[in-house]
Short mmCIF file of all heavy atoms in Angstrom, two decimals:
data_model
loop_
_atom_site.label_atom_id
_atom_site.label_comp_id
_atom_site.label_asym_id
_atom_site.label_seq_id
_atom_site.Cartn_x
_atom_site.Cartn_y
_atom_site.Cartn_z
N PRO X 29 -1.94 -6.83 -10.13
CA PRO X 29 -0.65 -6.16 -10.06
C PRO X 29 0.43 -7.16 -9.67
O PRO X 29 0.14 -8.23 -9.15
CB PRO X 29 -0.86 -5.12 -8.97
CG PRO X 29 -1.94 -5.67 -8.12
CD PRO X 29 -2.84 -6.44 -9.06
N GLY X 30 1.67 -6.79 -9.96
CA GLY X 30 2.78 -7.68 -9.64
C GLY X 30 3.34 -7.44 -8.28
O GLY X 30 4.53 -7.67 -8.05
N TRP X 31 2.51 -6.97 -7.38
CA TRP X 31 2.99 -6.70 -6.03
C TRP X 31 1.82 -6.85 -5.07
O TRP X 31 0.66 -6.89 -5.48
CB TRP X 31 3.56 -5.28 -5.94
CG TRP X 31 2.75 -4.24 -6.67
CD1 TRP X 31 2.92 -3.82 -7.95
CD2 TRP X 31 1.60 -3.53 -6.17
NE1 TRP X 31 1.97 -2.89 -8.28
CE2 TRP X 31 1.15 -2.69 -7.21
CE3 TRP X 31 0.93 -3.52 -4.94
CZ2 TRP X 31 0.05 -1.86 -7.05
CZ3 TRP X 31 -0.16 -2.68 -4.80
CH2 TRP X 31 -0.59 -1.86 -5.84
N SER X 32 2.16 -6.96 -3.82
CA SER X 32 1.11 -7.03 -2.81
C SER X 32 1.53 -6.19 -1.61
O SER X 32 2.72 -5.97 -1.38
CB SER X 32 0.87 -8.48 -2.37
OG SER X 32 2.00 -8.98 -1.71
N VAL X 33 0.54 -5.70 -0.92
CA VAL X 33 0.78 -4.86 0.26
C VAL X 33 0.22 -5.57 1.48
O VAL X 33 -0.86 -6.16 1.43
CB VAL X 33 0.11 -3.48 0.11
CG1 VAL X 33 0.32 -2.64 1.35
CG2 VAL X 33 0.63 -2.76 -1.11
N GLN X 34 0.96 -5.51 2.55
CA GLN X 34 0.49 -6.03 3.82
C GLN X 34 0.28 -4.85 4.77
O GLN X 34 1.10 -3.92 4.79
CB GLN X 34 1.50 -7.00 4.44
CG GLN X 34 1.79 -8.21 3.57
CD GLN X 34 0.62 -9.15 3.47
OE1 GLN X 34 -0.10 -9.35 4.43
NE2 GLN X 34 0.42 -9.72 2.29
N ILE X 35 -0.79 -4.87 5.52
CA ILE X 35 -1.05 -3.84 6.53
C ILE X 35 -1.02 -4.50 7.90
O ILE X 35 -1.78 -5.43 8.15
CB ILE X 35 -2.41 -3.17 6.32
CG1 ILE X 35 -2.51 -2.56 4.92
CG2 ILE X 35 -2.66 -2.10 7.39
CD1 ILE X 35 -3.89 -2.00 4.60
N ASP X 36 -0.13 -4.00 8.74
CA ASP X 36 -0.11 -4.45 10.13
C ASP X 36 -1.00 -3.47 10.92
O ASP X 36 -0.56 -2.41 11.34
CB ASP X 36 1.31 -4.43 10.67
CG ASP X 36 1.38 -4.90 12.13
OD1 ASP X 36 0.31 -5.06 12.76
OD2 ASP X 36 2.49 -5.11 12.62
N ARG X 37 -2.27 -3.83 11.05
CA ARG X 37 -3.22 -2.90 11.65
C ARG X 37 -2.95 -2.66 13.13
O ARG X 37 -3.45 -1.69 13.69
CB ARG X 37 -4.65 -3.41 11.40
CG ARG X 37 -5.08 -3.16 9.95
CD ARG X 37 -6.31 -3.95 9.58
NE ARG X 37 -7.42 -3.78 10.49
CZ ARG X 37 -8.37 -2.84 10.37
NH1 ARG X 37 -8.32 -1.99 9.36
NH2 ARG X 37 -9.35 -2.77 11.23
N THR X 38 -2.15 -3.50 13.75
CA THR X 38 -1.81 -3.26 15.15
C THR X 38 -0.87 -2.05 15.27
O THR X 38 -0.73 -1.48 16.35
CB THR X 38 -1.14 -4.47 15.80
OG1 THR X 38 0.13 -4.72 15.19
CG2 THR X 38 -2.02 -5.71 15.68
N ARG X 39 -0.21 -1.69 14.15
CA ARG X 39 0.71 -0.55 14.15
C ARG X 39 0.10 0.69 13.51
O ARG X 39 0.72 1.74 13.50
CB ARG X 39 2.00 -0.93 13.41
CG ARG X 39 2.72 -2.09 14.05
CD ARG X 39 3.89 -2.57 13.24
NE ARG X 39 5.00 -1.62 13.26
CZ ARG X 39 6.18 -1.86 12.70
NH1 ARG X 39 6.40 -3.00 12.07
NH2 ARG X 39 7.14 -0.96 12.75
N CYS X 40 -1.09 0.57 12.94
CA CYS X 40 -1.71 1.69 12.25
C CYS X 40 -2.28 2.68 13.25
O CYS X 40 -2.99 2.30 14.19
CB CYS X 40 -2.83 1.18 11.34
SG CYS X 40 -3.71 2.50 10.48
N LEU X 41 -1.98 3.97 13.02
CA LEU X 41 -2.46 5.04 13.88
C LEU X 41 -3.70 5.72 13.31
O LEU X 41 -4.28 6.60 13.95
CB LEU X 41 -1.38 6.11 14.06
CG LEU X 41 -0.08 5.68 14.74
CD1 LEU X 41 0.90 6.84 14.73
CD2 LEU X 41 -0.36 5.22 16.16
N GLY X 42 -4.05 5.37 12.08
CA GLY X 42 -5.20 6.01 11.43
C GLY X 42 -4.92 7.42 10.98
O GLY X 42 -5.83 8.25 10.91
N CYS X 43 -3.67 7.72 10.62
CA CYS X 43 -3.30 9.08 10.25
C CYS X 43 -3.78 9.47 8.86
O CYS X 43 -3.89 10.64 8.54
CB CYS X 43 -1.78 9.26 10.33
SG CYS X 43 -0.88 8.32 9.08
N GLY X 44 -4.01 8.49 7.99
CA GLY X 44 -4.53 8.76 6.65
C GLY X 44 -3.48 9.10 5.61
O GLY X 44 -3.83 9.42 4.48
N VAL X 45 -2.20 9.04 5.95
CA VAL X 45 -1.15 9.37 4.99
C VAL X 45 -1.18 8.42 3.79
O VAL X 45 -1.05 8.85 2.63
CB VAL X 45 0.23 9.35 5.67
CG1 VAL X 45 1.35 9.37 4.64
CG2 VAL X 45 0.35 10.53 6.62
N CYS X 46 -1.36 7.15 4.03
CA CYS X 46 -1.38 6.19 2.92
C CYS X 46 -2.55 6.47 1.99
O CYS X 46 -2.42 6.36 0.76
CB CYS X 46 -1.42 4.75 3.43
SG CYS X 46 -2.80 4.38 4.54
N VAL X 47 -3.68 6.86 2.53
CA VAL X 47 -4.85 7.19 1.72
C VAL X 47 -4.59 8.44 0.89
O VAL X 47 -5.00 8.54 -0.27
CB VAL X 47 -6.09 7.37 2.61
CG1 VAL X 47 -7.32 7.70 1.77
CG2 VAL X 47 -6.35 6.11 3.43
N ALA X 48 -3.87 9.39 1.46
CA ALA X 48 -3.56 10.62 0.74
C ALA X 48 -2.65 10.35 -0.46
O ALA X 48 -2.84 10.92 -1.53
CB ALA X 48 -2.90 11.63 1.68
N TYR X 49 -1.70 9.44 -0.30
CA TYR X 49 -0.75 9.17 -1.38
C TYR X 49 -1.28 8.15 -2.39
O TYR X 49 -0.92 8.20 -3.57
CB TYR X 49 0.58 8.67 -0.82
CG TYR X 49 1.46 9.78 -0.28
CD1 TYR X 49 1.77 9.85 1.07
CD2 TYR X 49 1.97 10.75 -1.14
CE1 TYR X 49 2.57 10.86 1.56
CE2 TYR X 49 2.77 11.77 -0.66
CZ TYR X 49 3.08 11.82 0.68
OH TYR X 49 3.86 12.84 1.17
N ALA X 50 -2.09 7.24 -1.97
CA ALA X 50 -2.58 6.19 -2.87
C ALA X 50 -4.04 5.86 -2.55
O ALA X 50 -4.36 4.79 -2.06
CB ALA X 50 -1.69 4.94 -2.74
N PRO X 51 -4.93 6.82 -2.87
CA PRO X 51 -6.34 6.64 -2.51
C PRO X 51 -7.04 5.53 -3.27
O PRO X 51 -8.11 5.09 -2.86
CB PRO X 51 -6.95 8.01 -2.84
CG PRO X 51 -6.04 8.59 -3.87
CD PRO X 51 -4.67 8.11 -3.51
N GLY X 52 -6.43 5.09 -4.37
CA GLY X 52 -7.03 3.98 -5.10
C GLY X 52 -6.68 2.63 -4.51
O GLY X 52 -7.22 1.60 -4.92
N SER X 53 -5.77 2.63 -3.56
CA SER X 53 -5.31 1.37 -2.98
C SER X 53 -5.60 1.25 -1.49
O SER X 53 -5.72 0.14 -0.98
CB SER X 53 -3.79 1.22 -3.20
OG SER X 53 -3.50 1.27 -4.58
N PHE X 54 -5.69 2.41 -0.82
CA PHE X 54 -5.93 2.38 0.62
C PHE X 54 -7.19 3.14 0.97
O PHE X 54 -7.56 4.12 0.31
CB PHE X 54 -4.75 3.00 1.38
CG PHE X 54 -3.45 2.27 1.19
CD1 PHE X 54 -2.51 2.74 0.28
CD2 PHE X 54 -3.18 1.11 1.88
CE1 PHE X 54 -1.31 2.06 0.08
CE2 PHE X 54 -1.99 0.42 1.70
CZ PHE X 54 -1.05 0.90 0.79
N ALA X 55 -7.85 2.70 2.00
CA ALA X 55 -9.00 3.40 2.56
C ALA X 55 -8.90 3.26 4.07
O ALA X 55 -7.98 2.61 4.59
CB ALA X 55 -10.29 2.80 2.04
N GLN X 56 -9.83 3.93 4.77
CA GLN X 56 -9.85 3.80 6.23
C GLN X 56 -11.21 3.24 6.64
O GLN X 56 -12.25 3.64 6.10
CB GLN X 56 -9.61 5.15 6.89
CG GLN X 56 -8.15 5.60 6.77
CD GLN X 56 -7.92 7.02 7.24
OE1 GLN X 56 -8.13 7.96 6.48
NE2 GLN X 56 -7.48 7.17 8.48
N ASP X 57 -11.19 2.33 7.56
CA ASP X 57 -12.43 1.71 8.01
C ASP X 57 -13.13 2.63 9.02
O ASP X 57 -12.71 3.77 9.25
CB ASP X 57 -12.18 0.32 8.58
CG ASP X 57 -11.33 0.33 9.86
OD1 ASP X 57 -11.13 1.41 10.45
OD2 ASP X 57 -10.89 -0.76 10.27
N GLY X 58 -14.18 2.16 9.61
CA GLY X 58 -14.96 2.96 10.53
C GLY X 58 -14.19 3.40 11.76
O GLY X 58 -14.57 4.38 12.41
N GLU X 59 -13.10 2.70 12.07
CA GLU X 59 -12.25 3.09 13.19
C GLU X 59 -11.09 3.98 12.75
O GLU X 59 -10.26 4.36 13.57
CB GLU X 59 -11.72 1.84 13.89
CG GLU X 59 -12.82 0.95 14.46
CD GLU X 59 -12.26 -0.31 15.11
OE1 GLU X 59 -11.05 -0.55 14.98
OE2 GLU X 59 -13.04 -1.04 15.72
N GLY X 60 -11.02 4.24 11.46
CA GLY X 60 -9.94 5.07 10.93
C GLY X 60 -8.70 4.30 10.56
O GLY X 60 -7.71 4.88 10.11
N LEU X 61 -8.72 2.99 10.76
CA LEU X 61 -7.53 2.19 10.45
C LEU X 61 -7.48 1.84 8.97
O LEU X 61 -8.51 1.71 8.30
CB LEU X 61 -7.52 0.91 11.29
CG LEU X 61 -7.56 1.12 12.81
CD1 LEU X 61 -7.51 -0.22 13.53
CD2 LEU X 61 -6.39 2.00 13.26
N ALA X 62 -6.26 1.69 8.47
CA ALA X 62 -6.07 1.45 7.05
C ALA X 62 -6.56 0.08 6.62
O ALA X 62 -6.36 -0.92 7.32
CB ALA X 62 -4.59 1.60 6.70
N VAL X 63 -7.20 0.07 5.46
CA VAL X 63 -7.59 -1.18 4.81
C VAL X 63 -7.16 -1.07 3.35
O VAL X 63 -7.04 0.02 2.80
CB VAL X 63 -9.11 -1.44 4.90
CG1 VAL X 63 -9.52 -1.70 6.33
CG2 VAL X 63 -9.90 -0.29 4.32
N LEU X 64 -6.95 -2.22 2.73
CA LEU X 64 -6.51 -2.26 1.34
C LEU X 64 -7.70 -2.40 0.42
O LEU X 64 -8.56 -3.26 0.63
CB LEU X 64 -5.54 -3.43 1.15
CG LEU X 64 -4.82 -3.53 -0.19
CD1 LEU X 64 -3.90 -2.33 -0.40
CD2 LEU X 64 -4.04 -4.84 -0.26
N ARG X 65 -7.75 -1.56 -0.60
CA ARG X 65 -8.78 -1.72 -1.62
C ARG X 65 -8.40 -2.90 -2.51
O ARG X 65 -7.23 -3.13 -2.79
CB ARG X 65 -8.90 -0.45 -2.46
CG ARG X 65 -9.39 0.77 -1.70
CD ARG X 65 -9.63 1.92 -2.66
NE ARG X 65 -9.94 3.16 -1.99
CZ ARG X 65 -11.16 3.50 -1.57
NH1 ARG X 65 -12.17 2.68 -1.78
NH2 ARG X 65 -11.37 4.65 -0.96
N ASP X 66 -9.42 -3.62 -2.95
CA ASP X 66 -9.16 -4.81 -3.75
C ASP X 66 -10.03 -4.77 -5.01
O ASP X 66 -11.27 -4.87 -4.89
CB ASP X 66 -9.45 -6.07 -2.93
CG ASP X 66 -9.05 -7.34 -3.66
OD1 ASP X 66 -8.21 -7.26 -4.58
OD2 ASP X 66 -9.58 -8.40 -3.31
N PRO X 67 -9.42 -4.65 -6.19
CA PRO X 67 -7.97 -4.58 -6.41
C PRO X 67 -7.45 -3.17 -6.21
O PRO X 67 -8.20 -2.21 -6.41
CB PRO X 67 -7.83 -5.00 -7.88
CG PRO X 67 -9.09 -4.50 -8.52
CD PRO X 67 -10.16 -4.66 -7.47
N PRO X 68 -6.18 -3.02 -5.86
CA PRO X 68 -5.59 -1.70 -5.75
C PRO X 68 -5.53 -1.04 -7.12
O PRO X 68 -5.36 -1.71 -8.14
CB PRO X 68 -4.20 -1.97 -5.18
CG PRO X 68 -3.91 -3.39 -5.52
CD PRO X 68 -5.23 -4.09 -5.53
N ALA X 69 -5.68 0.28 -7.15
CA ALA X 69 -5.82 0.98 -8.43
C ALA X 69 -4.78 2.07 -8.65
O ALA X 69 -4.95 2.92 -9.50
CB ALA X 69 -7.23 1.57 -8.53
N ASP X 70 -3.72 2.06 -7.88
CA ASP X 70 -2.66 3.05 -8.06
C ASP X 70 -1.45 2.39 -8.71
O ASP X 70 -1.32 1.17 -8.74
CB ASP X 70 -2.25 3.64 -6.70
CG ASP X 70 -3.39 4.37 -6.03
OD1 ASP X 70 -3.86 5.38 -6.60
OD2 ASP X 70 -3.83 3.90 -4.98
N SER X 71 -0.54 3.24 -9.20
CA SER X 71 0.70 2.70 -9.75
C SER X 71 1.58 2.18 -8.62
O SER X 71 1.40 2.55 -7.45
CB SER X 71 1.45 3.79 -10.52
OG SER X 71 1.97 4.75 -9.60
N LEU X 72 2.55 1.37 -9.01
CA LEU X 72 3.48 0.85 -8.02
C LEU X 72 4.23 1.99 -7.33
O LEU X 72 4.46 1.95 -6.12
CB LEU X 72 4.46 -0.11 -8.69
CG LEU X 72 5.55 -0.72 -7.79
CD1 LEU X 72 4.94 -1.46 -6.61
CD2 LEU X 72 6.43 -1.65 -8.61
N ASP X 73 4.59 3.01 -8.08
CA ASP X 73 5.31 4.14 -7.48
C ASP X 73 4.46 4.85 -6.43
O ASP X 73 4.97 5.26 -5.38
CB ASP X 73 5.73 5.14 -8.56
CG ASP X 73 6.98 4.70 -9.29
OD1 ASP X 73 7.65 3.76 -8.82
OD2 ASP X 73 7.28 5.30 -10.33
N GLU X 74 3.16 5.01 -6.72
CA GLU X 74 2.28 5.66 -5.76
C GLU X 74 2.15 4.82 -4.50
O GLU X 74 2.17 5.35 -3.38
CB GLU X 74 0.91 5.90 -6.38
CG GLU X 74 0.93 6.97 -7.46
CD GLU X 74 -0.33 7.02 -8.28
OE1 GLU X 74 -0.90 5.95 -8.59
OE2 GLU X 74 -0.76 8.13 -8.62
N VAL X 75 2.02 3.53 -4.68
CA VAL X 75 1.89 2.65 -3.51
C VAL X 75 3.20 2.63 -2.73
O VAL X 75 3.20 2.66 -1.50
CB VAL X 75 1.49 1.23 -3.95
CG1 VAL X 75 1.55 0.26 -2.78
CG2 VAL X 75 0.09 1.25 -4.55
N ARG X 76 4.30 2.62 -3.45
CA ARG X 76 5.60 2.62 -2.77
C ARG X 76 5.77 3.90 -1.94
O ARG X 76 6.26 3.86 -0.81
CB ARG X 76 6.73 2.49 -3.79
CG ARG X 76 8.12 2.38 -3.16
CD ARG X 76 9.18 2.22 -4.21
NE ARG X 76 9.14 0.91 -4.83
CZ ARG X 76 9.16 0.68 -6.15
NH1 ARG X 76 9.18 1.69 -6.98
NH2 ARG X 76 9.15 -0.54 -6.62
#
Side-chain angles (χ1 to χ4, degrees):
W31 42 267
S32 66
V33 178
Q34 300 291 322
I35 302 174
D36 181 350
R37 285 165 52 90
T38 65
R39 300 173 71 175
C40 178
L41 298 176
C43 68
V45 167
C46 56
V47 180
Y49 281 115
S53 302
F54 298 100
Q56 287 172 277
D57 66 12
E59 299 178 352
L61 302 181
V63 293
L64 188 64
R65 294 187 187 276
D66 187 21
D70 297 297
S71 70
L72 178 57
D73 280 348
E74 290 168 322
V75 172
R76 184 178 288 131

